[in-house]
Amino acid sequence: MIMLDDFFTRALIAGVGLALIVGPLGCFVVWRRMAYFGDTMAHSALLGVALSFLFDISMTLGVFGIAALVSLLLVFLQKKKTLPTDALLGILSHSTLAIGLVLVAFMAWLRLDLMGYLFGDILAVSKGDIALIYGGGCVILAILGLTWRPLLAASVSEELAEVEGLNPQRSKLIFMLLMAGVVAIAIKIVGILLVTSLLIIPAATARRFAPSPEMMALLSSLIGGVAVVGGLFLSLYYDTPSGPSVVVAAMLLFVLSLSMPSQRGS
């Protein structure tokens, strides 16, 4: 019987918890073709980290605040219709990342481990982090469950959802805020640059086999959990970085799925 260290056990519990949260959200990212939006949320997190240190506030709160602000700014700019959405996302993504890096450079007294925030350190999670993941995750999944029908309808057709009185714009804004919450929770575990990967890859893998949206959400969480466990043991045995190893494991599951017959017509 293999005896695991406490830090490794905490990493497994935290990683699986995160997979359960991002699975259903990742499905909407795939359905709505919002992968670039996920990148924008993740890149803005560095600015949230810098401001958290500058104003001495909770990092989770700082990252969520900036990610939520970026979401609101995107909605406002989309209504102006001055630029296409992908251009707006590009501007917001790279601008917030650059501002965060410049702000860190100005704080000469701060010794910030950028690699740790860019790629995460799941092996360093504490019991408090685990409580945040599962507590915050329950809130996120509960809100997602309440908005599931309008979000799903808007993913198919915003015009149809509007006709049915489901208010797709409100649902979209709620979804963006939920994404901001996930980024705030996930930053310490998989880092800024890998958050989007954990959102997209398991959902893309699940899409090939799920006969219904609900089953896809469930499969996405399951595949994400398997990727977390596989990636962590991969990092344990081969002494590789834990966060990237989790994403590599997810990628290997996706590649493996390509050799299997799909249950979907498309």
Side-chain angles (χ1 to χ4, degrees):
M1 182 177 178
I2 299 176
M3 296 297 293
L4 300 176
D5 291 323
D6 288 345
F7 72 88
F8 193 81
T9 303
R10 288 196 299 270
L12 285 171
I13 295 172
V16 170
L18 181 62
L20 294 176
I21 303 168
V22 300
L25 283 172
C27 293
F28 283 104
V29 171
V30 171
W31 291 330
R32 300 171 73 98
R33 296 175 179 153
M34 293 178 68
Y36 204 3
F37 172 73
D39 274 330
T40 303
M41 290 290 94
H43 288 175
S44 70
L46 184 60
L47 178 56
V49 170
L51 290 175
S52 298
F53 280 105
L54 182 62
F55 295 107
D56 193 25
I57 60 175
S58 164
M59 186 176 303
T60 302
L61 182 61
V63 171
F64 174 77
I66 292 299
L69 183 62
V70 168
S71 299
L72 295 173
L73 185 57
L74 176 62
V75 171
F76 173 77
L77 292 174
Q78 282 179 325
K79 288 182 177 180
K80 293 292 183 180
K81 297 182 179 180
T82 54
L83 285 172
T85 298
D86 60 341
L88 293 173
L89 287 172
I91 292 170
L92 291 172
S93 174
H94 301 303
S95 297
T96 52
L97 180 61
I99 293 171
L101 289 170
V102 170
L103 189 57
V104 168
F106 272 115
M107 292 188 289
W109 67 91
L110 181 64
R111 293 293 177 264
L112 191 65
D113 179 17
L114 282 178
M115 291 296 289
Y117 289 108
L118 290 176
F119 297 102
D121 188 4
I122 191 172
L123 298 178
V125 296
S126 64
K127 292 180 180 179
D129 295 325
I130 293 175
L132 175 64
I133 291 166
Y134 281 86
C138 286
V139 173
I140 289 172
L141 291 179
I143 296 174
L144 183 63
L146 291 174
T147 57
W148 179 270
R149 183 169 174 265
L151 269 174
L152 192 59
S155 298
V156 176
S157 170
E158 287 199 4
E159 291 78 10
L160 182 60
E162 190 76 48
V163 169
E164 293 182 359
L166 295 176
N167 200 336
Q169 289 302 317
R170 182 181 63 187
S171 301
K172 181 179 180 180
L173 180 57
I174 291 174
F175 173 72
M176 288 180 172
L177 294 177
L178 293 179
M179 284 282 289
V182 164
V183 169
I185 291 173
I187 181 173
K188 186 173 183 178
I189 298 179
V190 293
I192 293 169
L193 299 181
L194 302 180
V195 171
T196 312
S197 300
L198 202 54
L199 275 164
I200 295 173
I201 300 176
T205 306
R207 188 178 190 181
R208 303 193 69 250
F209 307 105
S212 68
E214 291 77 15
M215 184 58 68
M216 179 174 163
L218 183 62
L219 281 176
S220 180
S221 292
L222 178 62
I223 292 168
V226 172
V228 166
V229 174
L232 283 175
F233 276 100
L234 179 70
S235 70
L236 177 65
Y237 289 124
Y238 294 101
D239 194 27
T240 54
S242 54
S245 295
V246 170
V247 178
V248 168
M251 181 271 294
L252 290 175
L253 289 174
F254 175 73
V255 172
L256 180 63
S257 75
L258 296 178
S259 65
M260 302 169 65
S262 173
Q263 301 300 310
R264 301 177 72 252
S266 59

